[in-house]
Amino acid sequence: NFINQILLDYPDKKIVVDADGLYSIDVSKKYNCQLVLTPHFYEFCKIFGLDTKLTFGNEFDMVSAKACELNCIIHLKGKPSITSDGVNSVLTINGNSDMSTGGSGDVLTGIMVSMMTKNISILDSVAAAAYIHAAAGDQYIKTNNKESLRASDLIENLKVCY
């Protein structure tokens, strides 16, 4: 398929795969650790064929194990968020549950891609992006009703957080 072909053709490129693109990933392959997958809990379980009941509560170990198996970075979106390269893992404990709104993941991906241009590791780039994204959500609810949070509000609050 298209996404796996890109991964094969450009193994030296940093690539973030999110949303429906996650379902195209061949989970039987080893990648080059330039690949970042950004599922939420249910996407994570579905793409790896995991039982949600057995995975819930074991997310940290499961994300680390799957990142190691694929030789990639997995950022499991949630509260907390877990970012792992299979060896090292980072928890992002800030943020709030109302950030799971349409377009919020797109904002996160944009921040990740921006951070990946910096001269730091991809793991650190993704973890920093998760922190900044969550901080923007937390900044918004300081002065607004959290249920009204939209993706554009996150963008507006980035200037305070970064």
Side-chain angles (χ1 to χ4, degrees), residues 3-162:
I3 291 177
N4 281 307
Q5 191 61 50
I6 288 174
L7 295 172
L8 290 171
D9 289 349
Y10 303 99
D12 59 327
K13 301 297 181 192
K14 299 172 186 173
I15 298 174
V16 178
V17 179
D18 186 33
D20 286 343
L22 293 165
Y23 300 110
S24 299
I25 297 297
D26 183 345
V27 297
S28 67
K29 288 189 182 239
K30 274 238 185 235
Y31 292 95
N32 64 359
C33 211
Q34 301 275 11
L35 172 64
V36 179
L37 305 178
T38 61
H40 58 64
F41 178 77
Y42 291 104
E43 289 171 328
F44 178 79
C45 292
K46 187 171 182 178
I47 63 176
F48 289 106
L50 301 172
D51 183 305
T52 57
K53 291 177 184 164
L54 296 176
T55 305
F56 187 76
N58 297 306
E59 296 96 325
F60 188 89
D61 292 335
M62 295 300 293
V63 168
S64 180
K66 295 302 180 185
C68 186
E69 285 175 24
L70 270 63
N71 193 35
C72 71
I73 293 171
I74 297 176
H75 174 76
L76 183 67
K77 297 182 279 193
K79 178 114 173 60
S81 291
I82 304 165
T83 307
S84 182
D85 63 6
V87 176
N88 298 297
S89 298
V90 179
L91 290 177
T92 304
I93 59 172
N94 59 330
N96 61 78
S97 60
D98 290 292
M99 293 178 64
S100 60
T101 185
S104 177
D106 297 322
V107 174
L108 175 60
T109 298
I111 300 168
M112 283 181 184
V113 171
S114 174
M115 294 302 295
M116 288 166 65
T117 67
K118 309 292 182 196
N119 193 25
I120 57 176
S121 73
I122 297 175
L123 178 70
D124 290 343
S125 297
V126 173
Y131 178 84
I132 292 165
H133 181 256
D138 288 344
Q139 183 64 34
Y140 176 80
I141 65 169
K142 285 181 181 177
T143 56
N144 298 280
N145 180 345
K146 69 180 185 172
E147 287 81 18
S148 67
L149 178 68
R150 298 178 316 229
S152 58
D153 298 321
L154 295 172
I155 295 168
E156 187 63 31
N157 281 278
L158 286 175
K159 61 187 172 200
V160 179
C161 303
Y162 182 72

